[in-house]
Amino acid sequence: MIPYTKEANAEAENETDIQEADINDLYNEELKSHLKWYDHVLLNRPLKVILVTLLLAIAAPALMYQFLFFTSIEHAPNDGFSLGSCVVPRVSRLPCGLGNVTQEECHPLCCYDLNSHACFHRYPSRFSYIIDRYIWKEWSEEVIMYPRVLNVPFSYQNSTPRLRLSIDEVSSSHMSLYFYNAETMSYEGNKIEHKNYTHHVDTPEMTVTVEGSQGLIFSTIRGPFIASRDIWEIAFKLTNETMYGIGELPLTAGTVKVLYRHRGDFSTIPLIFAKMNDSYHGLLIDSDAPTEVFVHEENQVVLRSITNEGLKLHVFVGPKPSDVMRDAMTVIGVNKQLDYWMLGAHICSDSATAPDEALSDLRAFMSSAASASLPFDSHCGSAPIVFDSDCEGNQLVEEAAAVVKTAGKRFVPQVSPYIRYHELNETSEKNETSNETEMLTTNESCKDIISEYKQYILHDNSTEGNYTSDVYVGLIGEETFVYPIFENASNEFMKELWPYEVEVDGVILENNWPLDESVKSNETSLHLPYFSKNLEQVFEITPKWNAEYYNDTTKYFYKHNKYGSHVVSAFKNLFETEVPMWSTSSWMDGNVNINRQNIHASWTNLRKELVEAALGGVSGHWLWSVPVCGDSNTFDPETQTSLCVKWYMAATYMPLIKIHSSSIPTHPLAFTGTNRNLMLRALKKRLSLLPYFYTTLQSGPLLRPMFYQFPSSEHLKDLNTQFSVGDDLVIVPNLLPSQTHVHFWIPPGVWYELWGGLRIEGEEGDVVSMTTIEADFLTFIRGGAVLILQKDVTTSAEDTRMSADFSLTIALDCETNHTLSQSSSVDSNCLAAGTLYISRKLSLVFEADEQQLNIKAIGHFEEMCGDNAKVAHLIKDISIYGLDDEYNNYDHHRQVMVSIDLCDLQNATEIMYPFIFENNVSK
């Protein structure tokens, strides 16, 4: 080995390395000079990680959007309008068509969610109506609107080609929106100058908005508007806060209601109250056709109506719930026909016994009721009246009426508006000598009632042949019936239908939606483009959808909702004198009393009936009747007697009440011991409160939701566990078995327990837990009220009113800054006031403080004083709440025995009665 060789080689290697390094540096410098900006990104590992993350964050949703919602890439629509997005939060999605369908069945202009298998509308929806921008620059009532999509997501039917919108400015707080088929009708709305709202119709894609002083109170939210044969759909929104109505308190997401009169239906009009910014507005759905109301998340409301004509909506500005009610009553009418006896209990029964036995049972009941001093004012007789084509039972009705009237009670029969149908047996039908009339009835005396008035009988268009085969025959229980048509029914027909020589004091029209329990085929969905499970359920208990009026090809279901109102009108024209009418089915008619029917006995239904009655009253139906303990055959006296007792207590505060016994009696005489006593006590307590009820019902509803009575209280708005009774009382019912405590949310003002005078301590919205008992509802009276009672009740409302002396409960309010009337001689910070309505000719006004009572009269005294007096005129005692303890002679109040003759007001302008002296001795 040569020494130094290694060193020489090392030096050579070092030199080579240096040369290569120089070359690499030169290369790198040259390379850097040619690098682009994206090379720096791609060659930088941290930047690559950031870039990939950003790409995933952006691309992934886009890819999901593409592959989850679309079957193909879409381009902007060629009509130049909005594309609409499918990226809609699930809570905001509105079903497109049936909603839960396969992807193939989902309309191509809708969106589809592969996970939930839901077909839903874009936002904005492509199913809308547009205005031709080249012809119309802005909307007016003459504008014709055209469908943006030529077919709808319901059986791919053609859209209605020409549509108009009419806006009627009814008053300063009430307007209506009428969307209608421009090819079949024309309508022009009224315009006024001064109003508390503004409305706007956006173009070219129709969007309707209404604004009040509180903000946006109605908007079609750029949702779907669909119009086609037998299906119209509209979506709208009233508020971002709370809604109430159509039987729900509050009205929550997931609620579905069918506006088609049927058994178990809610009885009031479809009025929705909406809260916004400490005020209230409302919307009334004015649609005669079968209509579904869906409440979706975020307060989106969707209407689907089986109609060909259109949709009409009334918008009420408010700002108070009472303003909404007042405007709604301008649409439905006002029932002012309230006789005092109507506030008493009405007793009825569905006897399953033979006619003679039923009449004997009625006599026995009347005798027992007199012995037990059962308080009631009217009775329906031995059994409900069902018209019969062979005239059986006429004499029985008249004899039953005589029994009721002999006992000193009013006769108010129940009537089902059908005709029992008799057909000959199979052998007789084969007899060639049988004629038409023999096939219709078996009694010669009235064999022509159907054939002679065939124009007033519902017909079945599914059969062919002569009249005897095409009359529509329905089934109720095990009996067959035909259905009279009461629209424009002649007096001759009505008199033939009502052959009874008897004077009635009122009529209860039951089952008049009407009822038909016959089995229907499943073909309805084949003929209608939209027929949901909800509709199917109600169509099963009503006449067949395609039945027809005589010589009228219009299908029956278009007129079904008005059937009950037509029955009411026909019966009103039947009698020579006007008598009050109760009706189970009423559509946009505030001129009748509501008769709740087919109510099962349960704790849940008891609470529900309180809610229904409260909402019904503030919707315009003030005279509302509820069957005590229900009226179905499901009542079980062994397990539900305590429930029935509680129902009687709830009935104390109902506008009108009916004790309706089906196969099992629920009147108090059917019970014994303590239960009977509690029921009788509840009925008597009701009689003692009737002066206040009668006064209240002259100007407003009796039972009221808390949001209605205290609209400014945020704490009370959603309560359905306590209710206002007029302006001055609040009840807190205990509606659970063996419940020992209730929670009372204190309303604004001062409140006392009604019967003892205990003052409730706390501020507005505070929750007070109070002990309750099975024998009563907790009831509170407002400080500042004077309540007029009649404690010594008798056996009827009328007799009590005439013979029982008055008692006053004065609940003083010592915390409010009072403004005294100029004529008042009271000089105090503790005041109370109240009114007693006697008749249209006379009212009494009471004012009090802690020292004296002032009474004035407005009107004339014919009905209170004199030979024809119908009302008591003496005050015998006064209870005063709110005094300092040193002035009380009971635990929480002072009671003063007095003798005040109200007839003294005939000769004086005022009665002044001092009831406390400085020495604390009552006069």
Side-chain angles (χ1 to χ4, degrees), residues 731-767:
I731 59 171
V732 187
N734 50 337
L735 298 181
L736 292 175
S738 304
Q739 185 176 354
T740 59
H741 291 79
V742 293
H743 301 300
F744 176 45
W745 274 259
I746 301 178
V750 178
W751 293 88
Y752 304 90
E753 194 276 320
L754 175 58
W755 306 112
L758 172 67
R759 174 169 173 157
I760 307 303
E761 301 294 338
E763 302 295 329
E764 175 189 344
D766 287 352
V767 182

mmCIF file of all heavy atoms in Angstrom, residues 731-767:
data_model
loop_
_atom_site.group_PDB
_atom_site.id
_atom_site.type_symbol
_atom_site.label_atom_id
_atom_site.label_comp_id
_atom_site.label_asym_id
_atom_site.label_seq_id
_atom_site.Cartn_x
_atom_site.Cartn_y
_atom_site.Cartn_z
ATOM 1 N N ILE A 731 -110.022 30.056 38.815
ATOM 2 C CA ILE A 731 -110.094 28.728 39.415
ATOM 3 C C ILE A 731 -108.789 27.984 39.159
ATOM 4 O O ILE A 731 -108.155 28.151 38.119
ATOM 5 C CB ILE A 731 -111.284 27.909 38.879
ATOM 6 C CG1 ILE A 731 -111.191 27.723 37.354
ATOM 7 C CG2 ILE A 731 -112.602 28.547 39.269
ATOM 8 C CD1 ILE A 731 -112.211 26.738 36.802
ATOM 9 N N VAL A 732 -108.401 27.160 40.124
ATOM 10 C CA VAL A 732 -107.217 26.310 40.008
ATOM 11 C C VAL A 732 -107.668 24.885 40.292
ATOM 12 O O VAL A 732 -107.656 24.430 41.433
ATOM 13 C CB VAL A 732 -106.103 26.741 40.983
ATOM 14 C CG1 VAL A 732 -104.823 25.951 40.702
ATOM 15 C CG2 VAL A 732 -105.841 28.238 40.877
ATOM 16 N N PRO A 733 -108.124 24.158 39.275
ATOM 17 C CA PRO A 733 -108.699 22.824 39.508
ATOM 18 C C PRO A 733 -107.639 21.787 39.850
ATOM 19 O O PRO A 733 -106.517 21.825 39.338
ATOM 20 C CB PRO A 733 -109.377 22.504 38.177
ATOM 21 C CG PRO A 733 -108.674 23.331 37.164
ATOM 22 C CD PRO A 733 -108.212 24.567 37.871
ATOM 23 N N ASN A 734 -108.001 20.878 40.740
ATOM 24 C CA ASN A 734 -107.155 19.716 41.018
ATOM 25 C C ASN A 734 -107.703 18.553 40.211
ATOM 26 O O ASN A 734 -108.739 17.984 40.540
ATOM 27 C CB ASN A 734 -107.122 19.405 42.519
ATOM 28 C CG ASN A 734 -108.505 19.336 43.122
ATOM 29 O OD1 ASN A 734 -109.450 19.903 42.591
ATOM 30 N ND2 ASN A 734 -108.644 18.638 44.251
ATOM 31 N N LEU A 735 -106.997 18.209 39.160
ATOM 32 C CA LEU A 735 -107.526 17.269 38.173
ATOM 33 C C LEU A 735 -106.718 15.987 38.102
ATOM 34 O O LEU A 735 -106.556 15.387 37.037
ATOM 35 C CB LEU A 735 -107.570 17.942 36.791
ATOM 36 C CG LEU A 735 -108.479 19.169 36.693
ATOM 37 C CD1 LEU A 735 -108.454 19.736 35.290
ATOM 38 C CD2 LEU A 735 -109.895 18.831 37.096
ATOM 39 N N LEU A 736 -106.223 15.560 39.248
ATOM 40 C CA LEU A 736 -105.567 14.263 39.336
ATOM 41 C C LEU A 736 -106.192 13.482 40.480
ATOM 42 O O LEU A 736 -106.615 14.067 41.488
ATOM 43 C CB LEU A 736 -104.059 14.427 39.591
ATOM 44 C CG LEU A 736 -103.237 15.042 38.455
ATOM 45 C CD1 LEU A 736 -101.799 15.263 38.907
ATOM 46 C CD2 LEU A 736 -103.264 14.155 37.218
ATOM 47 N N PRO A 737 -106.280 12.160 40.369
ATOM 48 C CA PRO A 737 -106.863 11.383 41.462
ATOM 49 C C PRO A 737 -106.101 11.593 42.766
ATOM 50 O O PRO A 737 -104.867 11.573 42.799
ATOM 51 C CB PRO A 737 -106.729 9.933 40.964
ATOM 52 C CG PRO A 737 -106.602 10.041 39.483
ATOM 53 C CD PRO A 737 -105.893 11.332 39.223
ATOM 54 N N SER A 738 -106.836 11.853 43.846
ATOM 55 C CA SER A 738 -106.263 12.015 45.197
ATOM 56 C C SER A 738 -105.249 13.151 45.268
ATOM 57 O O SER A 738 -104.333 13.124 46.089
ATOM 58 C CB SER A 738 -105.611 10.696 45.654
ATOM 59 O OG SER A 738 -106.539 9.631 45.616
ATOM 60 N N GLN A 739 -105.398 14.154 44.431
ATOM 61 C CA GLN A 739 -104.475 15.293 44.449
ATOM 62 C C GLN A 739 -104.715 16.136 45.695
ATOM 63 O O GLN A 739 -105.845 16.477 46.025
ATOM 64 C CB GLN A 739 -104.673 16.140 43.195
ATOM 65 C CG GLN A 739 -103.680 17.281 43.060
ATOM 66 C CD GLN A 739 -103.848 18.033 41.744
ATOM 67 O OE1 GLN A 739 -104.642 17.631 40.893
ATOM 68 N NE2 GLN A 739 -103.115 19.119 41.586
ATOM 69 N N THR A 740 -103.639 16.493 46.396
ATOM 70 C CA THR A 740 -103.763 17.232 47.661
ATOM 71 C C THR A 740 -103.257 18.661 47.568
ATOM 72 O O THR A 740 -103.526 19.458 48.463
ATOM 73 C CB THR A 740 -102.989 16.507 48.776
ATOM 74 O OG1 THR A 740 -101.605 16.394 48.396
ATOM 75 C CG2 THR A 740 -103.565 15.118 49.015
ATOM 76 N N HIS A 741 -102.489 19.008 46.520
ATOM 77 C CA HIS A 741 -101.946 20.357 46.393
ATOM 78 C C HIS A 741 -102.113 20.837 44.947
ATOM 79 O O HIS A 741 -102.116 20.039 44.013
ATOM 80 C CB HIS A 741 -100.454 20.397 46.765
ATOM 81 C CG HIS A 741 -100.192 20.176 48.229
ATOM 82 N ND1 HIS A 741 -100.215 18.916 48.802
ATOM 83 C CD2 HIS A 741 -99.914 21.059 49.230
ATOM 84 C CE1 HIS A 741 -99.952 19.027 50.095
ATOM 85 N NE2 HIS A 741 -99.769 20.303 50.383
ATOM 86 N N VAL A 742 -102.249 22.123 44.805
ATOM 87 C CA VAL A 742 -102.233 22.755 43.491
ATOM 88 C C VAL A 742 -101.271 23.934 43.550
ATOM 89 O O VAL A 742 -100.933 24.445 44.627
ATOM 90 C CB VAL A 742 -103.634 23.253 43.061
ATOM 91 C CG1 VAL A 742 -104.571 22.089 42.837
ATOM 92 C CG2 VAL A 742 -104.197 24.245 44.056
ATOM 93 N N HIS A 743 -100.828 24.365 42.384
ATOM 94 C CA HIS A 743 -99.933 25.515 42.282
ATOM 95 C C HIS A 743 -100.701 26.667 41.630
ATOM 96 O O HIS A 743 -101.248 26.525 40.537
ATOM 97 C CB HIS A 743 -98.700 25.163 41.451
ATOM 98 C CG HIS A 743 -97.911 24.017 42.005
ATOM 99 N ND1 HIS A 743 -97.340 24.042 43.256
ATOM 100 C CD2 HIS A 743 -97.612 22.799 41.483
ATOM 101 C CE1 HIS A 743 -96.716 22.898 43.485
ATOM 102 N NE2 HIS A 743 -96.868 22.121 42.418
ATOM 103 N N PHE A 744 -100.702 27.783 42.310
ATOM 104 C CA PHE A 744 -101.417 28.972 41.848
ATOM 105 C C PHE A 744 -100.412 30.019 41.405
ATOM 106 O O PHE A 744 -99.611 30.496 42.195
ATOM 107 C CB PHE A 744 -102.296 29.507 42.981
ATOM 108 C CG PHE A 744 -103.009 30.801 42.663
ATOM 109 C CD1 PHE A 744 -103.658 30.982 41.448
ATOM 110 C CD2 PHE A 744 -103.049 31.834 43.593
ATOM 111 C CE1 PHE A 744 -104.317 32.163 41.160
ATOM 112 C CE2 PHE A 744 -103.706 33.015 43.318
ATOM 113 C CZ PHE A 744 -104.346 33.186 42.103
ATOM 114 N N TRP A 745 -100.432 30.318 40.083
ATOM 115 C CA TRP A 745 -99.609 31.400 39.557
ATOM 116 C C TRP A 745 -100.368 32.713 39.765
ATOM 117 O O TRP A 745 -101.453 32.893 39.206
ATOM 118 C CB TRP A 745 -99.328 31.176 38.075
ATOM 119 C CG TRP A 745 -98.144 30.311 37.785
ATOM 120 C CD1 TRP A 745 -96.897 30.719 37.417
ATOM 121 C CD2 TRP A 745 -98.077 28.878 37.812
ATOM 122 N NE1 TRP A 745 -96.062 29.649 37.216
ATOM 123 C CE2 TRP A 745 -96.765 28.497 37.447
ATOM 124 C CE3 TRP A 745 -99.004 27.880 38.113
ATOM 125 C CZ2 TRP A 745 -96.363 27.174 37.382
ATOM 126 C CZ3 TRP A 745 -98.614 26.562 38.055
ATOM 127 C CH2 TRP A 745 -97.295 26.217 37.697
ATOM 128 N N ILE A 746 -99.823 33.591 40.548
ATOM 129 C CA ILE A 746 -100.556 34.792 40.942
ATOM 130 C C ILE A 746 -100.684 35.742 39.757
ATOM 131 O O ILE A 746 -99.678 36.169 39.185
ATOM 132 C CB ILE A 746 -99.848 35.504 42.119
ATOM 133 C CG1 ILE A 746 -99.748 34.566 43.322
ATOM 134 C CG2 ILE A 746 -100.609 36.775 42.503
ATOM 135 C CD1 ILE A 746 -99.028 35.169 44.504
ATOM 136 N N PRO A 747 -101.910 36.099 39.386
ATOM 137 C CA PRO A 747 -102.107 37.079 38.315
ATOM 138 C C PRO A 747 -101.821 38.495 38.835
ATOM 139 O O PRO A 747 -101.626 38.702 40.044
ATOM 140 C CB PRO A 747 -103.592 36.914 37.958
ATOM 141 C CG PRO A 747 -104.018 35.625 38.591
ATOM 142 C CD PRO A 747 -103.164 35.483 39.811
ATOM 143 N N PRO A 748 -101.810 39.477 37.952
ATOM 144 C CA PRO A 748 -101.626 40.858 38.396
ATOM 145 C C PRO A 748 -102.730 41.270 39.370
ATOM 146 O O PRO A 748 -103.879 40.859 39.244
ATOM 147 C CB PRO A 748 -101.716 41.665 37.089
ATOM 148 C CG PRO A 748 -101.384 40.691 36.010
ATOM 149 C CD PRO A 748 -101.888 39.375 36.482
ATOM 150 N N GLY A 749 -102.373 42.098 40.352
ATOM 151 C CA GLY A 749 -103.354 42.611 41.289
ATOM 152 C C GLY A 749 -103.355 41.865 42.608
ATOM 153 O O GLY A 749 -102.448 41.096 42.935
ATOM 154 N N VAL A 750 -104.407 42.119 43.378
ATOM 155 C CA VAL A 750 -104.599 41.524 44.702
ATOM 156 C C VAL A 750 -105.627 40.408 44.583
ATOM 157 O O VAL A 750 -106.655 40.558 43.911
ATOM 158 C CB VAL A 750 -105.086 42.583 45.706
ATOM 159 C CG1 VAL A 750 -105.333 41.962 47.070
ATOM 160 C CG2 VAL A 750 -104.072 43.723 45.797
ATOM 161 N N TRP A 751 -105.380 39.264 45.270
ATOM 162 C CA TRP A 751 -106.268 38.112 45.150
ATOM 163 C C TRP A 751 -106.560 37.508 46.520
ATOM 164 O O TRP A 751 -105.687 37.451 47.391
ATOM 165 C CB TRP A 751 -105.650 37.043 44.232
ATOM 166 C CG TRP A 751 -105.569 37.537 42.832
ATOM 167 C CD1 TRP A 751 -104.550 38.251 42.272
ATOM 168 C CD2 TRP A 751 -106.585 37.416 41.831
ATOM 169 N NE1 TRP A 751 -104.858 38.577 40.976
ATOM 170 C CE2 TRP A 751 -106.099 38.082 40.666
ATOM 171 C CE3 TRP A 751 -107.840 36.820 41.789
ATOM 172 C CZ2 TRP A 751 -106.841 38.148 39.487
ATOM 173 C CZ3 TRP A 751 -108.577 36.880 40.612
ATOM 174 C CH2 TRP A 751 -108.086 37.531 39.481
ATOM 175 N N TYR A 752 -107.828 37.079 46.684
ATOM 176 C CA TYR A 752 -108.288 36.446 47.919
ATOM 177 C C TYR A 752 -108.923 35.107 47.578
ATOM 178 O O TYR A 752 -109.520 34.932 46.497
ATOM 179 C CB TYR A 752 -109.345 37.303 48.616
ATOM 180 C CG TYR A 752 -108.932 38.720 48.930
ATOM 181 C CD1 TYR A 752 -109.163 39.749 48.006
ATOM 182 C CD2 TYR A 752 -108.335 39.046 50.141
ATOM 183 C CE1 TYR A 752 -108.800 41.053 48.292
ATOM 184 C CE2 TYR A 752 -107.975 40.359 50.436
ATOM 185 C CZ TYR A 752 -108.207 41.357 49.503
ATOM 186 O OH TYR A 752 -107.837 42.655 49.786
ATOM 187 N N GLU A 753 -108.819 34.152 48.504
ATOM 188 C CA GLU A 753 -109.571 32.908 48.370
ATOM 189 C C GLU A 753 -111.048 33.252 48.493
ATOM 190 O O GLU A 753 -111.466 33.991 49.389
ATOM 191 C CB GLU A 753 -109.142 31.920 49.452
ATOM 192 C CG GLU A 753 -109.613 30.493 49.202
ATOM 193 C CD GLU A 753 -111.039 30.278 49.689
ATOM 194 O OE1 GLU A 753 -111.382 30.802 50.758
ATOM 195 O OE2 GLU A 753 -111.804 29.585 48.990
ATOM 196 N N LEU A 754 -111.880 32.747 47.560
ATOM 197 C CA LEU A 754 -113.246 33.247 47.417
ATOM 198 C C LEU A 754 -114.105 33.018 48.650
ATOM 199 O O LEU A 754 -114.814 33.922 49.090
ATOM 200 C CB LEU A 754 -113.905 32.594 46.193
ATOM 201 C CG LEU A 754 -115.384 32.940 45.976
ATOM 202 C CD1 LEU A 754 -115.580 34.442 45.823
ATOM 203 C CD2 LEU A 754 -115.938 32.203 44.763
ATOM 204 N N TRP A 755 -114.088 31.833 49.225
ATOM 205 C CA TRP A 755 -115.080 31.500 50.242
ATOM 206 C C TRP A 755 -114.633 31.843 51.656
ATOM 207 O O TRP A 755 -115.474 31.898 52.562
ATOM 208 C CB TRP A 755 -115.439 30.021 50.154
ATOM 209 C CG TRP A 755 -115.867 29.638 48.773
ATOM 210 C CD1 TRP A 755 -115.198 28.823 47.901
ATOM 211 C CD2 TRP A 755 -117.039 30.089 48.073
ATOM 212 N NE1 TRP A 755 -115.876 28.729 46.711
ATOM 213 C CE2 TRP A 755 -117.021 29.495 46.788
ATOM 214 C CE3 TRP A 755 -118.098 30.932 48.411
ATOM 215 C CZ2 TRP A 755 -118.019 29.716 45.844
ATOM 216 C CZ3 TRP A 755 -119.095 31.154 47.469
ATOM 217 C CH2 TRP A 755 -119.058 30.554 46.207
ATOM 218 N N GLY A 756 -113.338 32.094 51.874
ATOM 219 C CA GLY A 756 -112.879 32.420 53.222
ATOM 220 C C GLY A 756 -112.229 33.774 53.365
ATOM 221 O O GLY A 756 -112.112 34.304 54.477
ATOM 222 N N GLY A 757 -111.767 34.367 52.258
ATOM 223 C CA GLY A 757 -111.193 35.699 52.315
ATOM 224 C C GLY A 757 -109.701 35.749 52.575
ATOM 225 O O GLY A 757 -109.146 36.847 52.761
ATOM 226 N N LEU A 758 -109.015 34.595 52.582
ATOM 227 C CA LEU A 758 -107.566 34.603 52.799
ATOM 228 C C LEU A 758 -106.871 35.347 51.669
ATOM 229 O O LEU A 758 -107.070 35.027 50.493
ATOM 230 C CB LEU A 758 -107.040 33.169 52.871
ATOM 231 C CG LEU A 758 -105.518 33.011 52.913
ATOM 232 C CD1 LEU A 758 -104.956 33.566 54.225
ATOM 233 C CD2 LEU A 758 -105.123 31.547 52.735
ATOM 234 N N ARG A 759 -106.057 36.331 52.030
ATOM 235 C CA ARG A 759 -105.317 37.067 51.008
ATOM 236 C C ARG A 759 -104.103 36.261 50.584
ATOM 237 O O ARG A 759 -103.381 35.694 51.420
ATOM 238 C CB ARG A 759 -104.889 38.432 51.539
ATOM 239 C CG ARG A 759 -103.997 39.169 50.570
ATOM 240 C CD ARG A 759 -103.771 40.597 50.946
ATOM 241 N NE ARG A 759 -102.763 41.204 50.070
ATOM 242 C CZ ARG A 759 -102.648 42.495 49.856
ATOM 243 N NH1 ARG A 759 -103.481 43.351 50.441
ATOM 244 N NH2 ARG A 759 -101.705 42.963 49.068
ATOM 245 N N ILE A 760 -103.868 36.196 49.265
ATOM 246 C CA ILE A 760 -102.729 35.469 48.720
ATOM 247 C C ILE A 760 -101.540 36.424 48.665
ATOM 248 O O ILE A 760 -101.580 37.444 47.973
ATOM 249 C CB ILE A 760 -103.041 34.926 47.321
ATOM 250 C CG1 ILE A 760 -104.346 34.114 47.353
ATOM 251 C CG2 ILE A 760 -101.887 34.082 46.805
ATOM 252 C CD1 ILE A 760 -104.346 32.975 48.340
ATOM 253 N N GLU A 761 -100.498 36.097 49.378
ATOM 254 C CA GLU A 761 -99.327 36.954 49.444
ATOM 255 C C GLU A 761 -98.338 36.579 48.344
ATOM 256 O O GLU A 761 -98.017 35.402 48.157
ATOM 257 C CB GLU A 761 -98.645 36.830 50.810
ATOM 258 C CG GLU A 761 -99.534 37.194 51.998
ATOM 259 C CD GLU A 761 -99.909 38.663 52.002
ATOM 260 O OE1 GLU A 761 -99.182 39.476 51.378
ATOM 261 O OE2 GLU A 761 -100.922 39.019 52.638
ATOM 262 N N GLY A 762 -97.869 37.574 47.624
ATOM 263 C CA GLY A 762 -96.894 37.337 46.569
ATOM 264 C C GLY A 762 -97.014 38.355 45.471
ATOM 265 O O GLY A 762 -97.961 39.160 45.423
ATOM 266 N N GLU A 763 -96.048 38.326 44.569
ATOM 267 C CA GLU A 763 -96.037 39.232 43.433
ATOM 268 C C GLU A 763 -96.563 38.517 42.197
ATOM 269 O O GLU A 763 -96.693 37.282 42.167
ATOM 270 C CB GLU A 763 -94.610 39.733 43.173
ATOM 271 C CG GLU A 763 -93.967 40.450 44.354
ATOM 272 C CD GLU A 763 -94.676 41.741 44.693
ATOM 273 O OE1 GLU A 763 -95.217 42.378 43.758
ATOM 274 O OE2 GLU A 763 -94.705 42.118 45.881
ATOM 275 N N GLU A 764 -96.874 39.291 41.177
ATOM 276 C CA GLU A 764 -97.336 38.722 39.918
ATOM 277 C C GLU A 764 -96.342 37.688 39.392
ATOM 278 O O GLU A 764 -95.143 37.932 39.332
ATOM 279 C CB GLU A 764 -97.525 39.828 38.877
ATOM 280 C CG GLU A 764 -97.900 39.295 37.506
ATOM 281 C CD GLU A 764 -97.872 40.356 36.428
ATOM 282 O OE1 GLU A 764 -97.868 41.550 36.767
ATOM 283 O OE2 GLU A 764 -97.825 39.990 35.233
ATOM 284 N N GLY A 765 -96.856 36.519 39.035
ATOM 285 C CA GLY A 765 -96.021 35.451 38.497
ATOM 286 C C GLY A 765 -95.462 34.518 39.544
ATOM 287 O O GLY A 765 -94.931 33.453 39.199
ATOM 288 N N ASP A 766 -95.557 34.902 40.836
ATOM 289 C CA ASP A 766 -95.101 33.999 41.892
ATOM 290 C C ASP A 766 -95.985 32.756 41.913
ATOM 291 O O ASP A 766 -97.186 32.813 41.608
ATOM 292 C CB ASP A 766 -95.155 34.681 43.258
ATOM 293 C CG ASP A 766 -94.055 35.716 43.438
ATOM 294 O OD1 ASP A 766 -93.175 35.789 42.564
ATOM 295 O OD2 ASP A 766 -94.094 36.454 44.439
ATOM 296 N N VAL A 767 -95.404 31.634 42.286
ATOM 297 C CA VAL A 767 -96.144 30.378 42.365
ATOM 298 C C VAL A 767 -96.377 30.050 43.834
ATOM 299 O O VAL A 767 -95.435 29.950 44.607
ATOM 300 C CB VAL A 767 -95.373 29.234 41.680
ATOM 301 C CG1 VAL A 767 -96.188 27.946 41.732
ATOM 302 C CG2 VAL A 767 -95.045 29.602 40.235
#
